[in-house]
Amino acid sequence: MEMLLWLPSPTCDVMFVVGQEQQKVFAHRCVLACRCQVFRGMLSQAPVGSQDSSSSIQPQGPFILGNVQPEVFLAVIEFLYTNSVTLNSHIALEVLTSSVEYGLQDLCKLCVKFIKDTLSVEQVCEALQAAVTYGQVDLQQHCLAFIEGCTAAVVQTQGFRELSDVVLARVLRSDRLAADELDLVQAVREWAHVSSAVLERPVPEVAALPVRELRLPLLAPSELVTLESYNQQDLLIPVENIAAAWRAHALRKGSGLPSRLCRPRRGTRPRDHHCHLEPHAK
């Protein structure tokens, strides 16, 4: 099967040039068009190669697919021919992307199952980002549960620093994160500085959405003092958010704050003032 795709066969009638390596991949128009509407449209828009009087067939194309890894494209072709796919952790997310682009729902399901079965600390954030992007609710829930189980390790990964603000905010809404709030504040600060550099936007702007999910009232007074000191340097957290946390300490209750901001997470270290926070404050 693999040799048929890498090397021309007397019956192959379409050719693709794939990736920066410009790898030639040969296949059969009838199989691709029958199995995939996207390929059907692609192949119907280009003329078939001219044929001479010999029995050889001149392949249609070449179709240039410069942004796809050959291994990823071959996985898609393998699925179209066999209704199965050979995946590994290096290509699974990219094959998932291709399955969405080519409208191959059954391939998408196979990718999701493989990703769930092989999820790791290093890859879970990238998988969550892809799940949100492509509307894979089951994979989203699986990734979030994985993050909740090993939060401290996950926030140290490159994948965490590459999350979008929307996805990071979704993670921070969880009550089951296994990390203390002070550690989450630091993780968000590091994420924000990376995002600021990549997007060329100010730290407060890129971090606006995730920062709303930080539960500052859970921090002790001495921790808030340190937080204010750091905040003077990058303005990560709006002054009014810090003021609301101080107000909770002064009044010994969380009145006026969203209830989630006063609710300890699974990994929150107990502080003396937590008993004064109203768990059902609105």
Side-chain angles (χ1 to χ4, degrees):
M1 178 63 193
E2 186 174 356
M3 291 301 296
L4 174 64
L5 298 172
W6 283 110
L7 299 174
S9 160
T11 60
C12 288
D13 55 5
V14 62
M15 180 177 72
F16 300 88
V17 177
V18 185
Q20 297 180 352
E21 304 90 336
Q22 297 187 331
Q23 175 64 55
K24 293 180 180 179
V25 177
F26 296 87
H28 303 86
R29 296 176 70 248
C30 61
V31 175
L32 304 189
C34 178
R35 293 276 285 152
C36 177
Q37 186 174 357
V38 173
F39 277 118
R40 188 180 311 136
M42 180 191 304
L43 297 172
S44 66
Q45 294 176 8
V48 178
S50 61
Q51 301 182 21
D52 56 26
S53 58
S54 67
S55 60
S56 64
I57 300 175
Q58 297 299 319
Q60 180 181 1
F63 294 94
I64 310 300
L65 302 176
N67 294 326
V68 183
Q69 290 186 43
E71 189 177 4
V72 172
F73 186 70
L74 282 174
V76 174
I77 298 296
E78 178 189 0
F79 171 78
L80 295 178
Y81 274 81
T82 68
N83 214 38
S84 62
V85 64
T86 304
L87 296 171
N88 60 59
S89 59
H90 300 294
I91 67 168
L93 287 171
E94 293 189 54
V95 177
L96 173 63
T97 298
S98 292
S99 74
V100 174
E101 292 175 347
Y102 289 116
L104 301 171
Q105 293 185 0
D106 288 342
L107 177 58
C108 181
K109 292 177 182 178
L110 292 174
C111 290
V112 168
K113 183 181 185 306
F114 178 88
I115 292 166
K116 289 170 62 176
D117 290 345
T118 61
L119 209 55
S120 69
V121 168
E122 292 297 328
Q123 291 187 320
V124 64
C125 287
E126 188 179 357
L128 176 59
Q129 185 70 56
V132 172
T133 299
Y134 302 127
Q136 299 296 317
V137 177
D138 183 51
L139 182 57
Q140 291 178 42
Q141 294 172 345
H142 189 85
C143 290
L144 184 56
F146 187 100
I147 292 171
E148 290 170 341
C150 49
T151 312
V154 170
V155 299
Q156 300 298 322
T157 65
Q158 183 64 29
F160 179 85
R161 296 183 182 92
E162 294 176 352
L163 285 174
S164 70
D165 58 341
V166 172
V167 176
L168 177 55
R170 184 172 302 190
V171 171
L172 292 172
R173 290 189 194 110
S174 172
D175 291 339
R176 298 187 57 79
L177 296 179
D180 184 66
E181 205 64 26
L182 197 61
D183 298 324
L184 292 175
V185 171
Q186 181 58 29
V188 171
R189 171 166 275 113
E190 293 174 3
W191 169 89
H193 282 268
V194 171
S195 296
S196 174
V198 171
L199 300 175
E200 298 182 340
R201 291 162 50 196
V203 165
E205 184 179 325
V206 300
L209 197 58
V211 160
R212 294 176 194 168
E213 305 302 329
L214 293 175
R215 304 180 183 186
L216 302 184
L218 298 179
L219 301 181
S222 60
E223 294 168 331
L224 283 175
V225 170
T226 302
L227 179 64
E228 284 184 304
S229 176
Y230 280 112
N231 206 58
Q232 291 176 0
Q233 302 172 28
D234 58 16
L235 304 178
L236 171 72
I237 302 172
V239 173
E240 55 267 28
N241 292 29
I242 300 177
W246 279 117
R247 187 164 56 251
H249 279 283
L251 299 177
R252 291 201 162 199
K253 60 183 180 179
S255 297
L257 292 171
S259 60
R260 70 183 189 280
L261 299 184
C262 299
R263 191 164 53 237
R265 306 179 197 268
R266 186 173 63 150
T268 301
R269 292 192 297 270
R271 275 87 163 171
D272 291 340
H273 73 285
H274 287 177
C275 61
H276 302 299
L277 295 176
E278 297 177 13
H280 302 295
K282 302 297 182 184

